[in-house]
Amino acid sequence: MLKLSKKVEYGLIAIRHIASVNNQISTVKEISEKYSIPSDVLAKVMQKLTKGKLITSHQGAMGGYTLARGADQISVMNVISVIEGSQMGIAQCFSEEPENCSIYLNCTIKNPLGKIQHNLELVFNSMKVSEIV
Amino acid sequence: MLKLSKKVEYGLIAIRHIASVNNQISTVKEISEKYSIPSDVLAKVMQKLTKGKLITSHQGAMGGYTLARGADQISVMNVISVIEGSQMGIAQCFSEEPENCSIYLNCTIKNPLGKIQHNLELVFNSMKVSEIV
DNA sequence: TTAAATACGACTTGTGTAGTCCTATTTCAT
DNA sequence: ATGAAATAGGACTACACAAGTCGTATTTAA
């Protein structure tokens, strides 16, 4: 409950790692070994980060990944959105189909949860990966 | 990912409801019908809120629940902690056994996630159920 | 041509959430 | 006393999602 997924953690670690080596090209093998992350899982994460244009992939031998922009331009929220594939929402109201929520009509906590949601977005948006030192 | 559980939502709705009827005794049946919440599930939630001393139970016929303190004295964080039975943590580091985390030793994001954790706690602590109107 | 790397889909397993069912206990009202 | 209305609480099922594994294709430098 209210936990970040391992994928998001791995993504943050990977981006932070690339930034820490001055954006030199880094491979899945290298990162997964250094931080004890299952390489297949990390590979998928990197592919999502690539599709989300947070990092750039370099295929083929001697390939790997570099950042697509400065680490100070990548927020934790960016990483969450790209990896999860949807907007973060603390309740159904704020993500997928709100109407499908079983208590939608009689729900009395939509508004206050909306305030919380807003505050959480502030927190995740303001935290940049560059602060992850 | 990063969602509140239905149990927590139900708990917030229930507490808010009791407050809205001026702390008159309210039953599971009444609340579950009004807000279309499965009554068995709500019953368990109410029992946890009782054990957590956020509400007071009145057993037997004509029984039900009242608030144990003012709605302005009950934070969303109180409800989360009591219902989930453990401290909210956005990563393993901040809840159960941190050492069991597969990447604990090499984890480079413990500190920054700690900052996020702290900010989230501020948000959830400062939001009281009385604001849920 | 080969080796090292990313790309990507299919599958398995594990965990946790949500919900159901059943029974026991308490207490009010008749 | 008895029955009805309420809370208390354990056991179980179903399902969704997270995490991880496996296999194969594609790209590219040497």
Side-chain angles (χ1 to χ4, degrees):
Chain A
M1 219 226 76
L2 278 174
K3 266 206 177 53
L4 291 171
S5 68
K6 285 283 183 190
K7 287 181 190 174
V8 169
E9 291 185 23
Y10 296 161
L12 290 171
I13 290 175
I15 293 180
R16 182 203 160 276
H17 171 83
I18 301 175
S20 78
V21 296
N22 297 311
N23 206 20
Q24 280 186 348
I25 207 165
S26 307
T27 69
V28 165
K29 185 166 188 294
E30 177 186 333
I31 299 174
S32 70
E33 285 177 355
K34 175 151 187 180
Y35 302 100
S36 309
I37 300 172
S39 62
D40 282 347
V41 176
L42 181 60
K44 294 263 174 52
V45 168
M46 299 306 268
Q47 286 160 26
K48 288 203 170 181
L49 292 175
T50 302
K51 283 206 165 184
K53 298 192 191 303
L54 297 184
I55 62 179
T56 306
S57 80
H58 305 270
Q59 290 199 342
M62 304 301 290
Y65 298 93
T66 51
L67 298 186
R69 32 176 156 137
D72 58 341
Q73 302 290 313
I74 304 178
S75 70
V76 173
M77 181 61 94
N78 290 147
V79 176
I80 293 176
S81 314
V82 161
I83 291 182
E84 298 300 331
S86 64
Q87 205 55 28
M88 179 210 86
I90 60 168
Q92 207 167 356
C93 307
F94 310 109
S95 39
E96 330 96 71
E97 307 85 5
E99 333 73 59
N100 287 0
C101 180
S102 55
I103 58 175
Y104 187 73
L105 285 179
N106 305 307
C107 182
T108 51
I109 57 171
K110 279 196 283 282
N111 288 344
L113 289 188
K115 286 188 209 167
I116 293 181
Q117 169 85 16
H118 177 69
N119 284 327
L120 295 196
E121 285 174 5
L122 288 181
V123 171
F124 286 115
N125 274 319
S126 64
M127 171 73 87
K128 310 295 184 193
V129 178
S130 54
E131 298 176 57
I132 298 186
V133 187
Chain B
M1 219 229 75
L2 276 173
K3 268 206 176 51
L4 292 171
S5 69
K6 285 283 183 193
K7 287 181 189 173
V8 169
E9 291 184 25
Y10 296 160
L12 291 170
I13 290 175
I15 293 180
R16 181 202 160 279
H17 172 83
I18 302 174
S20 78
V21 297
N22 297 311
N23 206 20
Q24 280 186 348
I25 207 165
S26 308
T27 68
V28 165
K29 186 166 187 292
E30 175 187 333
I31 299 176
S32 70
E33 284 175 357
K34 173 152 188 179
Y35 302 100
S36 308
I37 299 172
S39 62
D40 282 348
V41 177
L42 181 59
K44 294 265 173 56
V45 168
M46 300 306 268
Q47 286 162 25
K48 288 203 170 182
L49 292 175
T50 303
K51 284 209 162 182
K53 299 191 191 305
L54 298 184
I55 64 180
T56 305
S57 81
H58 305 270
Q59 289 199 344
M62 304 300 289
Y65 297 94
T66 51
L67 298 188
R69 32 174 157 141
D72 59 341
Q73 302 290 314
I74 303 177
S75 70
V76 172
M77 179 62 94
N78 290 148
V79 177
I80 292 176
S81 314
V82 161
I83 291 183
E84 297 301 329
S86 63
Q87 205 56 27
M88 181 210 84
I90 59 168
Q92 207 167 358
C93 307
F94 309 110
S95 39
E96 331 93 74
E97 305 85 4
E99 333 70 59
N100 287 0
C101 179
S102 55
I103 58 174
Y104 186 75
L105 285 179
N106 304 307
C107 183
T108 51
I109 57 173
K110 277 194 285 281
N111 289 342
L113 289 187
K115 287 187 207 167
I116 293 181
Q117 169 84 17
H118 178 69
N119 284 325
L120 296 196
E121 286 174 4
L122 288 182
V123 171
F124 287 115
N125 274 319
S126 64
M127 172 73 87
K128 309 296 183 194
V129 179
S130 53
E131 298 176 57
I132 297 188
V133 189

